[in-house]
PDB file of all heavy atoms in Angstrom:
ATOM      1  N   SER A  39     143.520 128.055 148.116  1.00 95.00           N
ATOM      2  CA  SER A  39     144.720 127.302 148.492  1.00 95.00           C
ATOM      3  C   SER A  39     144.744 127.167 150.003  1.00 95.00           C
ATOM      4  O   SER A  39     144.111 127.952 150.720  1.00 95.00           O
ATOM      5  CB  SER A  39     145.969 128.017 147.998  1.00 95.00           C
ATOM      6  OG  SER A  39     147.105 127.320 148.462  1.00 95.00           O
ATOM      7  N   ASP A  40     145.524 126.165 150.476  1.00 93.00           N
ATOM      8  CA  ASP A  40     145.506 125.823 151.895  1.00 93.00           C
ATOM      9  C   ASP A  40     146.930 125.553 152.349  1.00 93.00           C
ATOM     10  O   ASP A  40     147.495 124.515 152.018  1.00 93.00           O
ATOM     11  CB  ASP A  40     144.612 124.558 152.028  1.00 93.00           C
ATOM     12  CG  ASP A  40     144.702 123.931 153.403  1.00 93.00           C
ATOM     13  OD1 ASP A  40     145.099 124.625 154.343  1.00 93.00           O
ATOM     14  OD2 ASP A  40     144.362 122.723 153.525  1.00 93.00           O
ATOM     15  N   LYS A  41     147.567 126.552 153.031  1.00 93.00           N
ATOM     16  CA  LYS A  41     148.943 126.366 153.513  1.00 93.00           C
ATOM     17  C   LYS A  41     149.024 126.857 154.954  1.00 93.00           C
ATOM     18  O   LYS A  41     148.308 127.779 155.350  1.00 93.00           O
ATOM     19  CB  LYS A  41     149.946 127.166 152.664  1.00 93.00           C
ATOM     20  CG  LYS A  41     150.020 126.767 151.199  1.00 93.00           C
ATOM     21  CD  LYS A  41     150.910 125.569 150.964  1.00 93.00           C
ATOM     22  CE  LYS A  41     151.051 125.303 149.466  1.00 93.00           C
ATOM     23  NZ  LYS A  41     150.948 123.899 149.141  1.00 93.00           N
ATOM     24  N   GLU A  65     153.881 120.476 141.765  1.00 98.00           N
ATOM     25  CA  GLU A  65     153.215 120.302 143.068  1.00 98.00           C
ATOM     26  C   GLU A  65     152.311 119.075 142.984  1.00 98.00           C
ATOM     27  O   GLU A  65     151.443 118.974 142.111  1.00 98.00           O
ATOM     28  CB  GLU A  65     152.396 121.534 143.446  1.00 98.00           C
ATOM     29  CG  GLU A  65     151.751 121.361 144.814  1.00 98.00           C
ATOM     30  CD  GLU A  65     151.284 122.660 145.460  1.00 98.00           C
ATOM     31  OE1 GLU A  65     151.236 123.686 144.741  1.00 98.00           O
ATOM     32  OE2 GLU A  65     150.989 122.651 146.657  1.00 98.00           O
ATOM     33  N   GLY A  67     149.399 117.106 144.471  1.00 98.00           N
ATOM     34  CA  GLY A  67     148.250 117.386 145.336  1.00 98.00           C
ATOM     35  C   GLY A  67     147.924 118.857 145.268  1.00 98.00           C
ATOM     36  O   GLY A  67     148.610 119.682 145.874  1.00 98.00           O
ATOM     37  N   ASP A  91     147.070 115.844 140.536  1.00 98.00           N
ATOM     38  CA  ASP A  91     146.102 115.453 141.580  1.00 98.00           C
ATOM     39  C   ASP A  91     145.334 114.225 141.118  1.00 98.00           C
ATOM     40  O   ASP A  91     144.986 114.087 139.945  1.00 98.00           O
ATOM     41  CB  ASP A  91     145.117 116.583 141.893  1.00 98.00           C
ATOM     42  CG  ASP A  91     144.543 116.433 143.281  1.00 98.00           C
ATOM     43  OD1 ASP A  91     143.785 115.456 143.509  1.00 98.00           O
ATOM     44  OD2 ASP A  91     144.871 117.270 144.158  1.00 98.00           O
ATOM     45  N   ILE A  92     145.070 113.357 142.079  1.00 98.00           N
ATOM     46  CA  ILE A  92     144.364 112.092 141.809  1.00 98.00           C
ATOM     47  C   ILE A  92     142.874 112.336 141.597  1.00 98.00           C
ATOM     48  O   ILE A  92     142.174 111.503 141.020  1.00 98.00           O
ATOM     49  CB  ILE A  92     144.626 111.097 142.977  1.00 98.00           C
ATOM     50  CG1 ILE A  92     144.367 109.653 142.538  1.00 98.00           C
ATOM     51  CG2 ILE A  92     143.782 111.432 144.206  1.00 98.00           C
ATOM     52  CD1 ILE A  92     144.896 108.619 143.532  1.00 98.00           C
ATOM     53  N   ASP A 112     147.123 109.332 139.677  1.00 98.00           N
ATOM     54  CA  ASP A 112     147.934 108.980 140.849  1.00 98.00           C
ATOM     55  C   ASP A 112     149.405 109.256 140.533  1.00 98.00           C
ATOM     56  O   ASP A 112     149.982 108.631 139.642  1.00 98.00           O
ATOM     57  CB  ASP A 112     147.723 107.488 141.186  1.00 98.00           C
ATOM     58  CG  ASP A 112     148.498 107.077 142.430  1.00 98.00           C
ATOM     59  OD1 ASP A 112     149.325 107.863 142.930  1.00 98.00           O
ATOM     60  OD2 ASP A 112     148.251 105.944 142.903  1.00 98.00           O
ATOM     61  N   ALA A 113     149.991 110.192 141.269  1.00 98.00           N
ATOM     62  CA  ALA A 113     151.371 110.596 141.003  1.00 98.00           C
ATOM     63  C   ALA A 113     152.337 109.425 141.109  1.00 98.00           C
ATOM     64  O   ALA A 113     153.397 109.433 140.483  1.00 98.00           O
ATOM     65  CB  ALA A 113     151.782 111.689 141.980  1.00 98.00           C
ATOM     66  N   ASP A 135     152.353 117.731 148.411  1.00 98.00           N
ATOM     67  CA  ASP A 135     151.220 118.078 149.289  1.00 98.00           C
ATOM     68  C   ASP A 135     150.070 117.120 148.945  1.00 98.00           C
ATOM     69  O   ASP A 135     148.921 117.509 148.888  1.00 98.00           O
ATOM     70  CB  ASP A 135     150.823 119.548 149.035  1.00 98.00           C
ATOM     71  CG  ASP A 135     149.854 120.058 150.104  1.00 98.00           C
ATOM     72  OD1 ASP A 135     149.710 119.384 151.144  1.00 98.00           O
ATOM     73  OD2 ASP A 135     149.241 121.129 149.893  1.00 98.00           O
TER      74      ASP A 135
HETATM   75  C1  LIG B   1     146.067 119.027 150.966  1.00 60.28           C
HETATM   76  S1  LIG B   1     145.375 118.860 149.382  1.00 60.28           S
HETATM   77  C2  LIG B   1     146.337 119.850 148.412  1.00 60.28           C
HETATM   78  C3  LIG B   1     146.234 121.304 148.754  1.00 60.28           C
HETATM   79  C4  LIG B   1     146.951 122.221 147.770  1.00 60.28           C
HETATM   80  N1  LIG B   1     148.298 121.843 147.564  1.00 60.28           N
HETATM   81  C5  LIG B   1     146.886 123.629 148.324  1.00 60.28           C
HETATM   82  O1  LIG B   1     147.908 124.185 148.719  1.00 60.28           O
HETATM   83  O2  LIG B   1     145.797 124.197 148.329  1.00 60.28           O
HETATM   84  C6  LIG B   1     145.819 117.234 148.933  1.00 60.28           C
HETATM   85  C7  LIG B   1     145.462 116.774 147.539  1.00 60.28           C
HETATM   86  O3  LIG B   1     146.265 115.689 147.215  1.00 60.28           O
HETATM   87  C8  LIG B   1     145.543 114.874 146.313  1.00 60.28           C
HETATM   88  N2  LIG B   1     146.157 113.550 146.251  1.00 60.28           N
HETATM   89  C9  LIG B   1     146.093 112.571 147.180  1.00 60.28           C
HETATM   90  N3  LIG B   1     146.807 111.481 146.765  1.00 60.28           N
HETATM   91  C10 LIG B   1     147.362 111.777 145.578  1.00 60.28           C
HETATM   92  C11 LIG B   1     148.173 111.048 144.669  1.00 60.28           C
HETATM   93  N4  LIG B   1     148.587 109.792 144.926  1.00 60.28           N
HETATM   94  N5  LIG B   1     148.534 111.667 143.523  1.00 60.28           N
HETATM   95  C12 LIG B   1     148.109 112.926 143.270  1.00 60.28           C
HETATM   96  N6  LIG B   1     147.327 113.621 144.097  1.00 60.28           N
HETATM   97  C13 LIG B   1     146.947 113.102 145.240  1.00 60.28           C
HETATM   98  C14 LIG B   1     144.150 114.925 146.852  1.00 60.28           C
HETATM   99  O4  LIG B   1     143.185 114.593 145.833  1.00 60.28           O
HETATM  100  C15 LIG B   1     144.015 116.335 147.336  1.00 60.28           C
HETATM  101  O5  LIG B   1     143.359 117.152 146.383  1.00 60.28           O
END
Side-chain angles (χ1 to χ4, degrees):
S39 176
D40 169 21
K41 298 277 186 223
E65 182 162 13
D91 204 293
I92 201 167
D112 182 351
D135 192 14

